[in-house]
């Protein structure tokens, strides 16, 4: 076992289950004083086991290692004992989505760390040991100390540096991924969960994740500026040599001057009618592409130059599936290729007779939103 890098600490681990016992083993070997808190201390073989309240009172640093469903009642029980202490939160609001993906039961709007900090306003919360499975925690921490990384997050720098030392003492390389609001990568559903990576690989994964988030934010800003007719912001989200290609129509733009002219002459005020509704069906994000599958609904009350050039408003309803392929270069939009079935739109406007032609009308977009309709001819 690696030698402890830190001053000997008094640590109480609340929850003497798989993760709690694993941490107790590693830190005891590293020379720290470890107390385990259990509801049934008499049943455990470990050296220093106490009931939850006594254990919470003993340690200067507290680890929460109980099932997520038990967290709130545990905190209520020992709120006085936890005051002003560093709380290492290893608990996970873990669930599986209906498709079988790991997700946070708290949803995507709030991190587990931010939520824990609201439950413990008088303590200092640091998230750690969340994205590694306990059997790897013990085996990698003891057999390959210093090889693999563990992410930590918190709002207090001093507390994070203390927890970093404890991560090192457990046999891992701590990687600070930011404050609690930024800690989604180490939560269930996050990019690091449940993975064991070397420090270099973890940094690369986090860097790519950040770049993808930046791409998403940039593209959302780009579309919002397009909708608002804000030419300056739209162009600021693009590279210096972009192009736009609306595949079914002759309208687009090449190079900064071409794109500028396209926006000015064909898009501002003519993007979509005011009643437009956009329903996101799917978004695929890679290192340098975003692909959006969207169903767009509107009433054709204005000229829509990019989609229906030279077609005067018909007043007809349109529901159309659109695929937008967006290429990024150095964090900015380099090009957009926009695909839709123009015959489908023309049928809905009454400008194309679907009879005797292999084309469809409104049902096409509806089947994208509700695939069960595909069973109907
Ligand atoms: N297992 C992993 O690989 C892993 C990895 C990272 C994070 N985590 C997270 O760490 C936490 C603990 O996971 P675990 O796998 O160690 O769970 P576990 O093996 O089920 O152990 C949790 C321990 O908490 C105690 N406990 C259970 N219900 C409780 C309650 N209502 N009130 C107070 N204490 C209670 C029990 O100990 P007593 O009966 O002795 O009281 C139990 O042994 C979870 O939030 C989990 O998501 C787990």
């Amino acid at each position: 076992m690696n030698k402890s890098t830190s001053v000997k600490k008094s640590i109480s681990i609340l929850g003497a289950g798989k993760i709690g016992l694993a941490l107790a083993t590693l830190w005891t070997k590293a020379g720290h004083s470890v107390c385990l808190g259990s509801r049934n201390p008499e049943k455990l073989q470990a050296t220093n086991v106490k009931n939850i309240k006594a254990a919470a009172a003993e340690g200067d640093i507290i680890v929460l290692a109980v099932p997520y469903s038990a967290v709130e009642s545990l905190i209520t029980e020992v709120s006085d004992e936890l005051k002003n202490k560093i709380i290492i939160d290893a608990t996970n609001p873990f669930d599986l989505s209906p498709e079988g993906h790991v997700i946070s039961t708290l949803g995507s709007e709030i991190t587990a760390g931010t939520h824990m900090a609201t439950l413990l306003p008088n303590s200092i919360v640091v998230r750690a040991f969340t994205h590694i499975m306990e059997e790897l925690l013990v085996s990698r921490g003891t057999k390959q100390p210093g090889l693999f990384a563990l992410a930590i997050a918190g709002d207090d720098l001093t507390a994070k540096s203390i927890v970093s030392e404890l991560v090192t003492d457990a046999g891992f390389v701590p990687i600070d991924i930011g404050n609690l609001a930024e800690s989604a990568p180490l939560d269930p559903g996050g990019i690091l969960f449940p993975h064991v990576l070397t420090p270099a690989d973890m940094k690369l994964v986090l860097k790519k994740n950040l770049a993808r988030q930046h791409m998403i934010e940039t593209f959302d800003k780009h579309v919002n500026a397009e909708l608002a007719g804000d030419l300056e912001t739209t162009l600021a989200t693009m590279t210096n040599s972009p192009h736009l290609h609306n595949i079914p129509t002759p309208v687009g733009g090449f190079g900064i001057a071409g794109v500028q002219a396209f926006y000015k002459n064909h898009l501002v005020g003519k993007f979509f009618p005011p009643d437009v509704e956009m329903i996101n069906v799917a978004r695929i994000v890679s290192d340098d592409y975003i692909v959006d599958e969207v169903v767009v609904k509107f009433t054709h009350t204005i000229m829509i130059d990019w989609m229906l050039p030279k077609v005067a408003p018909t007043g007809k309803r349109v529901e159309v599936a659109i695929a937008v392929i967006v290429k990024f270069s150095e964090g900015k939009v380099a090009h957009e290729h926009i695909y839709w079935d123009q015959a489908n739109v023309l049928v809905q406007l009454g400008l194309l007779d679907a009879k005797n032609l292999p084309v469809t009308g409104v049902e096409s977009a509806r089947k994208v939103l509700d695939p069960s309709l595909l069973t109907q001819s």
Side-chain angles (χ1 to χ4, degrees), residues 5-36:
T5 58
S6 55
V7 177
K8 195 177 166 198
K9 301 280 186 319
S10 164
I11 308 162
S12 286
I13 302 172
L14 307 185
K18 294 184 279 299
I19 204 84
L21 288 169
L23 286 171
T25 304
L26 293 166
W27 284 331
T28 302
K29 279 187 183 167
H32 296 293
S33 163
V34 180
C35 173
L36 275 162

Side-chain angles (χ1 to χ4, degrees), residues 17-19 38-39 65-67 70 90-92 129-130 132-134:
K18 294 184 279 299
I19 204 84
S38 165
R39 293 168 302 174
V66 293
T91 65
N92 281 320
F129 303 102
T130 61
I132 182 165
M133 290 179 215
E134 51 73 34

Side-chain angles (χ1 to χ4, degrees), residues 53-208:
K53 211 165 172 66
E58 181 167 316
D60 297 329
I61 297 168
I62 308 293
V63 179
L64 296 181
V66 293
Y68 206 74
S69 55
V71 163
E72 288 205 26
S73 61
L74 176 98
I75 286 174
T76 309
E77 187 190 338
V78 293
S79 59
D80 284 345
E81 287 78 4
L82 301 190
K83 264 186 197 155
N84 303 321
K85 292 184 179 175
I86 294 172
I87 310 296
I88 302 177
D89 177 22
T91 65
N92 281 320
F94 175 96
D95 204 354
L96 288 182
S97 71
E99 299 81 28
H101 300 296
V102 173
I103 53 167
S104 165
T105 56
L106 300 174
S108 56
E109 298 298 313
I110 187 166
T111 65
T114 302
H115 182 63
M116 187 60 80
T118 62
L119 296 176
L120 289 169
N122 301 314
S123 307
I124 308 149
V125 174
V126 178
R127 288 280 284 162
F129 303 102
T130 61
H131 66 87
I132 182 165
M133 290 179 215
E134 51 73 34
E135 61 270 29
L136 289 176
L137 186 58
V138 175
S139 72
R140 293 314 98 196
T142 50
K143 290 180 185 160
Q144 292 170 303
L147 183 63
F148 292 108
L150 280 182
I152 69 164
D155 295 343
D156 185 294
L157 290 180
T158 308
K160 272 201 289 195
S161 99
I162 291 168
V163 175
S164 290
E165 288 178 354
L166 291 175
V167 169
T168 306
D169 292 346
F172 293 84
V173 179
I175 303 278
D176 181 354
I177 66 164
N179 60 35
L180 294 175
E182 295 164 336
S183 62
L186 56 67
D187 283 350
I191 194 90
L192 301 177
F193 193 99
H195 303 300
V196 179
L197 300 164
T198 65
D201 285 342
M202 184 181 285
K203 284 179 187 162
L204 188 63
V205 164
L206 289 166
K207 193 176 161 193
K208 284 186 175 183

Side-chain angles (χ1 to χ4, degrees), residues 75 223 238:
I75 286 174
V223 173
M238 305 185 85

